[in-house]
Amino acid sequence: MYAVIETGGKQYRVEKDDVVSIEKLKVEAGDSVVFDRVLLLSNGKETLIGKPYVEGAKVEAEVVENGKGPKVIIFKYKAKKDYRKKQGHRQPYTMVKINGIFGLEAEEPQAEAKPEEAAEPAEAEAAPEAAESAETAAE
């Protein structure tokens, strides 16, 4: 089972037990976080796509750490003009471990209730009527 969540203006495809580095959140290591902006849910058989979010779906995660990414060097210069500018940046992040994806399990037991058996006789009865109406239309 996987989900696509939105946080920090970005989208992430997550599964249970994934460790994902996301945009920095105002939480401490060890805290729990719930992402309710779920764009898509899939369990391999069924896929729910939100408009824009899937109602009732949520992804629970635990904060592993807050940190900074690798240093990025920005170096600007203009040839023959004696202009040089060096600047560095480290992007802050929050690393989270996905503990669970919820929202599709509640619908699975209803789907397994075998409404197909009741639907088959109705279809069988409807088929002769359709054949009879086709015959009368031909006459």
Side-chain angles (χ1 to χ4, degrees):
M1 174 176 245
Y2 69 92
V4 176
I5 61 171
E6 179 186 356
T7 180
K10 297 177 179 65
Q11 298 175 6
Y12 301 90
R13 181 186 188 271
V14 296
E15 295 183 27
K16 189 174 183 330
D17 297 327
D18 277 355
V19 177
V20 183
S21 178
I22 61 173
E23 289 292 316
K24 185 171 191 241
L25 301 173
K26 294 180 181 179
V27 291
E28 298 295 323
D31 291 350
S32 293
V33 180
V34 176
F35 300 104
D36 57 352
R37 292 183 170 188
V38 179
L39 301 168
L40 181 137
L41 272 177
S42 178
N43 63 1
K45 299 173 188 173
E46 261 187 278
T47 302
L48 291 178
I49 300 172
K51 296 179 183 178
Y53 305 115
V54 178
E55 289 186 29
K58 64 181 179 176
V59 175
E60 291 182 358
E62 180 182 346
V63 177
V64 176
E65 69 172 354
N66 288 317
K68 289 185 178 181
K71 189 165 206 172
V72 178
I73 304 293
I74 299 99
F75 186 72
K76 299 178 182 180
Y77 80 101
K78 294 189 185 289
K80 302 176 188 173
K81 301 295 180 192
D82 196 27
Y83 171 78
R84 282 159 177 69
K85 184 177 180 181
K86 184 177 179 181
Q87 186 178 5
H89 175 75
R90 292 183 71 189
Q91 183 70 27
Y93 67 86
T94 299
M95 192 171 289
V96 295
K97 180 179 184 218
I98 306 300
N99 292 332
I101 299 172
F102 305 99
L104 205 54
E105 294 88 2
E107 297 174 11
E108 286 180 14
Q110 295 173 357
E112 295 175 7
K114 296 193 180 191
E116 299 164 5
E117 293 177 8
E120 288 178 14
E123 291 175 8
E125 293 172 6
E129 293 173 5
E132 290 173 13
S133 64
E135 290 175 9
T136 56
E139 292 174 4

